[in-house]
Amino acid sequence: MDRNNQIIRCNLRGKFKKELHLKKDKQFIIDPVAVGDHVKFNLNFDGSGTINYIYPRKNYISRKAVKSRGSSYRGERLEQIVASNLDNIFIVTSIDQPKFNNRLLDRIIVTGESAGISVKIIINKIDLDEDDYAMKWFNLYSSIGYKVFLTSVIEKKGVDQIKKILKNKKNLFWGISGVGKSSLLNLLFNSLNLNVGEISTANKKGKHTTVTSKMFYVDKNTFVIDTPGVREIDPYGITKENLSYYFVEFKPFLDDCKFNTCTHFHEPGCAVINAVETGIINQERYISYLNILATIEDNLYF
Ligand code: GDP
Ligand code: ZN
């Protein structure tokens, strides 16, 4: 998009493919340029552009790159930048179809927190809710300090507030396929007309398809990024040492552990474990923490 928010189709100058494709601090980055990047480009005769500079990113979120059929590149550090220069991340989940998965939500939260970007949570499809299940999760994440929205696209509920928070910001809508990201964005901005509920045929056959996130200019200074076709979200670059900082409600306890190398797993005198036992930290969140901690150790990514 140029300064007037016109879309200009761009290619990357060859040097990026060589220089950035990429071995930087022994980390591999899948794509040198990401949605949300600010770039310089030359305008070609045919109206297309050639990107020759990518400005430093204010922030970005990334995940472990996914190989074909959903398996990660085991043992390698492959980073895929999902989007950059963000003001908000709306993590979209659904209460059912697909079933609400707090472990997955916590993994995505960690990704957002590690990038230092404001995280908001949307629990969609509350029309499918039974027994106030959604309210239970609303209460948990609100008590931690997250802004949580309960929405139903079908019943057109809960989206007005979201619209206010989006304004003058660059907003990422992130979550696995099927939770209703595109449907929500269509309801928020009628003109968008995004495809809903479509899984590409290539995907169904299990072939590798590139997930193409797209940014849309929806209002003055306001952008939304849709991320269709996401099957897996695994945080990238999280270490055993820093993981606990991305569980924000753990923070007040981290200095009180007996050992300053405490991973809050089984160490004696652990203030986090103590807070879990006394009910100050929610057990579900602690289990998520332990699960992620175990993944970091098992896969030897770091
Ligand atoms: P995305 O993959 O996250 O972009 O999800 P889509 O927007 O494509 O929606 C996936 C499916 O969920 C579609 O069949 C939608 O009609 C349906 N859906 C979206 N929002 C809701 C909702 O609030 N309630 C119900 N019952 N279905 C919804
Ligand atoms: Zn501890």
Side-chain angles (χ1 to χ4, degrees), residues 11-18 42 50-53:
N11 290 312
L12 273 178
R13 226 178 106 181
K15 67 164 187 172
F16 283 110
K17 287 172 193 150
K18 284 200 203 99
N42 296 329
T50 302
I51 293 172
N52 55 45
Y53 182 74

Side-chain angles (χ1 to χ4, degrees), residues 2-17:
D2 70 6
R3 282 206 181 81
N4 304 315
N5 301 307
Q6 298 297 312
I7 291 173
I8 296 173
R9 189 159 288 279
C10 285
N11 290 312
L12 273 178
R13 226 178 106 181
K15 67 164 187 172
F16 283 110
K17 287 172 193 150

Side-chain angles (χ1 to χ4, degrees), residues 202-261:
N203 234 340
K204 273 188 206 148
K205 286 180 202 150
K207 279 192 207 154
H208 176 59
T209 46
T210 327
V211 178
T212 40
S213 304
K214 263 194 185 160
M215 184 164 80
F216 301 93
Y217 176 69
V218 287
D219 206 347
K220 196 165 170 281
N221 289 323
T222 308
F223 301 87
V224 295
I225 299 169
D226 186 28
T227 54
V230 178
R231 291 162 142 204
E232 281 186 9
I233 296 171
D234 245 333
Y236 180 89
I238 311 295
T239 64
K240 273 197 290 179
E241 288 72 33
N242 64 22
L243 177 64
S244 55
Y245 290 90
Y246 309 138
F247 281 77
V248 293
E249 75 275 34
F250 292 13
K251 277 189 202 166
F253 304 99
L254 297 178
D255 287 340
D256 296 338
C257 294
K258 187 169 172 193
F259 301 105
N260 61 11
T261 54

